[in-house]
Amino acid sequence: MSPAISSLMQNPVCSVGLDDSVAQVEALLTSKHLTWVPVVDPSRGEAIGVISASDLVGFHAQGRDATATHAWQMCSYKPIVVDAATPVAMVATLMVERGIHHVVVTDRTGIAGIVSSLDFVRTFIPASEP
């Protein structure tokens, strides 16, 4: 049996709110060295979307204003959300089938962590290497 996805997830989770500006999102990604972040509805505590570095490239290619645009206006909606107990193999299959690189992991208390395709790649790096 495959281990649970919680064994690969990163936590604590950095997230942004619906009304955060795209400039604020970019500042967070830069300061935390992240490539994506969930957009969370604070009233429900749920991820309603994600913003990735590639989303930001497209945003700027359109010449849009990062200080006047909110996270909810440019995020990719309906992120893939899995339970922390979901087997790693099942999540990997889901990511490949849907062509996605980011998954939000939840448990009974809400968002428990996040997993990206890089987290899968890291499993192949020997523990003695950085």
Side-chain angles (χ1 to χ4, degrees):
M1 174 145 201
S2 177
I5 195 63
S6 60
S7 67
L8 290 185
M9 73 181 187
Q10 302 294 312
N11 61 358
V13 176
C14 292
S15 63
V16 297
L18 299 170
D19 291 325
D20 287 348
S21 71
V22 172
Q24 289 173 300
V25 173
E26 290 177 308
L28 176 67
L29 291 177
T30 299
S31 69
K32 300 290 186 180
H33 307 290
L34 301 172
T35 59
W36 73 288
V37 66
V39 178
V40 176
D41 178 348
S43 66
R44 298 186 313 197
E46 297 175 2
I48 59 104
V50 298
I51 297 176
S52 69
S54 60
D55 293 331
L56 292 168
V57 169
F59 174 86
H60 286 293
Q62 295 172 2
R64 296 173 66 188
D65 183 353
T67 59
T69 305
H70 299 285
W72 68 267
Q73 294 174 295
M74 63 110 13
C75 69
S76 299
Y77 282 96
K78 298 184 181 179
I80 302 301
V81 178
V82 298
D83 184 80
T86 304
V88 167
M90 186 179 293
V91 175
T93 301
L94 181 66
M95 291 173 76
V96 169
E97 288 176 350
R98 303 239 180 133
I100 59 170
H101 296 275
H102 313 105
V103 176
V104 176
V105 181
T106 61
D107 61 16
R108 62 185 176 282
T109 64
I111 297 175
I114 56 176
V115 173
S116 74
S117 51
L118 284 177
D119 295 317
F120 283 90
V121 173
R122 283 187 192 102
T123 64
F124 293 97
I125 300 173
S128 61
E129 295 188 27

